[in-house]
Amino acid sequence: MAKKSAKKSAAKKPAAKKTTAKKAAAKKTAKRKPNAAFMKPLSASPALAAVIGEKPMPRTEVTKRLWDYIKKNKLQDSKNRRMINADDKLSAVFGGKKQVSMFDMTKLVGKHLS
């Protein structure tokens, strides 16, 4: 008889909670608001302005234009695509370094924005 009672207790497991279709739809339709700090126009230093232009622009646009310049002049390292090879204009932005990783690039560019 002990075996039968063990089977009955094992069969009565709590059911997993189901998410309703309304909750799932509400999560999909809720949009994030863009962060105002990223959209604030910033002015570039003269060294950075030589690469991206002199007009004040948000950080997102600065990064976009910087990557356009890198791709246009084929400055991405052919073997390690994470590395950026600096030409004369970019070496001034990168603090005189010949090669910088793409992760360090954003930190160095941030110093030229105000």
Side-chain angles (χ1 to χ4, degrees):
M1 280 200 144
K3 289 183 181 180
K4 286 184 181 180
S5 63
K7 286 182 183 179
K8 285 183 182 179
S9 64
K12 293 184 180 182
K13 290 184 181 177
K17 291 185 180 180
K18 294 182 182 178
T19 57
T20 62
K22 288 182 182 179
K23 286 183 183 178
K27 286 182 182 179
K28 288 181 183 178
T29 59
K31 290 188 178 182
R32 291 178 34 195
K33 293 181 183 178
N35 190 341
F38 285 114
M39 303 313 288
K40 180 182 175 186
L42 300 170
S43 55
S45 69
L48 183 60
V51 177
I52 63 167
E54 295 187 17
K55 285 177 41 178
M57 60 187 80
R59 288 179 189 273
T60 54
E61 186 67 23
V62 169
T63 304
K64 181 181 175 190
R65 290 198 183 187
L66 198 57
W67 273 107
D68 290 342
Y69 179 83
I70 290 166
K71 289 178 182 178
K72 177 184 166 192
N73 294 308
K74 299 178 181 170
L75 298 175
Q76 216 170 351
D77 192 53
S78 59
K79 292 180 182 176
N80 186 358
R81 308 282 292 164
R82 294 181 185 177
M83 300 303 285
I84 309 300
N85 299 321
D87 61 355
D88 294 334
K89 289 182 180 180
L90 278 182
S91 65
V93 175
F94 295 160
K97 295 180 180 179
K98 298 278 184 192
Q99 194 176 45
V100 175
S101 76
M102 65 173 64
F103 305 110
D104 292 335
M105 178 183 73
T106 55
K107 187 184 342 176
L108 294 169
V109 169
K111 295 177 183 177
H112 290 273
L113 296 172
S114 60

